[in-house]
Amino acid sequence: MSDTKTNINIFKSHLTIKSDYVGGKAKPHSANGQKIHKLSSNENLLGSSPKALQAIQDCLHKLNEYPDQTDIRLREALADFYGTPMTADHFFTGNSGSEILELIARAFLDPGLEAIIASPTFMPYRLFSEKMGAKVIDIPLLAPNFDLNVAEVLAAVNERTRLLFLTSPNNPTGSYIPTETLEYILEALPSHVVLVLDEVYFQFTDQGDYTTALPYAIKNKNIIGVNSFSKAYGLAGLRVGYAYTHPDFARYIRQLHRPFLVNALSLNAAIGALADSAFLQETVNLVQSEREFLYEELDQRPIQYWKSQGNFVLVKPPIPPKDFEARMLEQGVMVRPVENFGAKGCVRITIGTREANKAMLSALDRVLN
Ligand SMILES: Cc1ncc(COP(=O)(O)O)c(C=O)c1O
């Protein structure tokens, strides 16, 4: 360190902001041999795509070598998966959906600029925007069903706005944005605002008026569709995600990539996963049928819940969320309090296998009584 002392503060003020967001907890070791069902992080309870696991096996013998210099093989696989007119140029990848969101914030935000979010929602939108020094404007979703407050969202847009983060299906509410609403917003947004549509749970939707960003990205609208391999493909531990958008935006954001951005295991596993339609279908079938099973069961219990388009349901237990979390864990079931997402009094529960769901319901019965 230099001996010449000055009073100059070298820390950026926006990097010293404290955030109360931490990711979900890991599974604890069970003290008494009791099985623990982790229903707190929206993971895939069927495990990982077997084709992804095979692809990992196939590259284990060459981990001494650097991976591909760029993500082009994964982008080409994504272009094949999505089909014409999507090309590798429409995509960019990253080490998780979270990193994709962070790249977008880094690419478009700065001190003096603004991002709009609609809570309760995934907290990293706020975190990543604030770490860029941007101001976050929160336009809360409307009670009782967490609909987007479209008029207020549009009224919040000004010359400083660069990003509008919308999530469909939304975490933790499970609500979605109908096609008509999304199109209305897209038409109304000025050209200096990019709509970031986080669709990491899109595979689990079953509503006819649901839409991803795809039809609008194809038409070169100011929209980015954010995706992840963590959920439907069961690769949360690997950290790999992607987004698609206007080729000019994709090229602009890829400038933030360092060489060898995606590691060899993730790159090959993601390409393997895209070819695994059987695993994807099995996962989607499980989530959709167990979701219906849970609705029927929850209807018979004294607990408020919201219907969901994701692989999770939001519930409002009659006791404080943290107490509920602790008491469910005593019964061997991990759930996620989501007050810090903006959902007051609420807890999010991942939809699991029938065995896990039944364990959750029994735990719920013991906690409620
Ligand atoms: C809405 C939403 N977006 C993005 C992510 C990020 O997923 P990952 O970083 O695991 O790819 C999550 C994870 O829970 C999420 O719920």
Side-chain angles (χ1 to χ4, degrees):
M1 258 203 173
S2 162
D3 287 340
T4 318
K5 273 201 162 180
T6 68
N7 288 326
I8 299 170
N9 178 10
I10 62 169
F11 299 112
K12 294 183 182 181
S13 59
H14 52 267
L15 287 183
T16 58
I17 294 170
K18 282 223 169 64
S19 157
D20 63 352
Y21 179 79
V22 281
K25 291 179 187 155
K27 215 178 206 179
H29 290 292
S30 160
N32 51 6
Q34 177 195 31
K35 181 164 184 178
I36 293 181
H37 294 280
K38 187 179 177 202
L39 300 180
S40 48
S41 290
N42 297 347
E43 290 155 344
N44 190 325
L45 274 279
L46 288 179
S48 304
S49 146
K51 288 199 175 170
L53 296 182
Q54 186 58 52
I56 290 173
Q57 282 287 343
D58 294 345
C59 63
L60 283 181
H61 67 283
K62 46 181 183 186
L63 287 183
N64 57 315
E65 295 176 13
Y66 280 91
D68 298 16
Q69 257 181 348
T70 74
D71 60 354
I72 184 65
R73 270 198 307 129
L74 176 53
R75 288 196 282 123
E76 280 169 352
L78 284 161
D80 280 349
F81 179 81
Y82 277 79
T84 321
M86 296 297 276
T87 67
D89 290 346
H90 286 85
F91 293 90
F92 60 97
T93 67
N95 296 291
S96 75
S98 301
E99 189 177 70
I100 293 288
L101 292 163
E102 192 179 21
L103 285 170
I104 295 169
R106 283 172 59 202
F108 292 103
L109 297 177
D110 257 335
L113 298 178
E114 296 180 3
I116 300 174
I117 65 169
S119 73
T121 195
F122 191 53
M123 289 309 287
Y125 311 140
R126 173 184 286 286
L127 183 69
F128 298 150
S129 302
E130 289 182 344
K131 295 289 178 202
M132 289 307 300
K135 184 172 168 192
V136 174
I137 312 291
D138 183 7
I139 307 295
L141 298 173
L142 295 167
N145 290 324
F146 302 111
D147 294 322
L148 202 59
N149 189 340
V150 178
E152 289 295 316
V153 165
L154 292 176
V157 173
N158 60 44
E159 283 182 2
R160 298 176 297 279
T161 314
R162 290 293 176 276
L163 299 178
L164 165 58
F165 288 100
L166 297 180
T167 322
S168 185
N170 185 38
N171 171 12
T173 60
S175 50
Y176 72 104
I177 302 170
T179 305
E180 206 184 338
T181 309
L182 192 78
E183 288 186 353
Y184 179 81
I185 294 170
L186 259 182
E187 285 310 311
L189 283 181
S191 62
H192 63 273
V193 180
V194 180
L195 199 168
V196 182
L197 188 68
D198 184 335
E199 52 190 42
V200 305
Y201 298 103
F202 84 90
Q203 294 92 343
F204 306 121
T205 59
D206 61 8
Q207 296 297 298
D209 61 346
Y210 172 79
T211 183
T212 64
L214 190 61
Y216 315 103
I218 288 170
K219 289 187 200 143
N220 290 335
K221 301 276 183 196
N222 280 7
I223 193 166
I224 305 178
V226 176
N227 283 267
S228 171
F229 286 92
S230 296
K231 311 295 178 185
Y233 295 105
L235 296 175
L238 270 192
R239 316 308 296 131
V240 55
Y242 68 93
Y244 58 81
T245 181
H246 190 306
D248 290 349
F249 282 174
R251 191 176 316 111
Y252 170 67
I253 294 169
R254 282 200 303 272
Q255 293 182 96
L256 292 170
H257 279 180
R258 52 188 186 271
F260 312 113
L261 178 84
V262 185
N263 73 72
L265 301 181
S266 301
L267 196 70
N268 288 298
I271 294 170
L274 286 174
D276 204 342
S277 51
F279 180 77
L280 179 64
Q281 200 53 55
E282 197 189 343
T283 298
V284 170
N285 290 347
L286 177 84
V287 168
Q288 292 183 341
S289 61
E290 287 303 301
R291 203 160 57 190
E292 295 300 321
F293 167 72
L294 280 184
Y295 294 162
E296 281 167 29
E297 293 290 327
L298 290 172
D299 279 340
Q300 295 165 36
R301 291 168 168 82
I303 187 164
Q304 187 184 3
Y305 75 94
W306 285 264
K307 292 208 162 144
S308 169
Q309 286 294 288
N311 64 344
F312 53 87
V313 280
L314 185 74
V315 302
K316 191 169 196 173
I319 56 174
K322 293 243 181 230
D323 295 348
F324 183 76
E325 176 193 29
R327 290 177 64 183
M328 289 293 279
L329 185 57
E330 282 167 15
Q331 305 296 328
V333 178
M334 293 175 74
V335 297
R336 182 85 185 262
V338 284
E339 289 208 306
N340 64 338
F341 288 54
K344 210 170 169 343
C346 291
V347 174
R348 192 191 67 203
I349 306 178
T350 304
I351 297 168
T353 55
R354 179 59 60 94
E355 183 205 347
N357 296 334
K358 279 187 159 173
M360 186 278 287
L361 291 164
S362 311
L364 187 62
D365 288 339
R366 282 192 288 272
V367 170
L368 291 179
N369 290 325

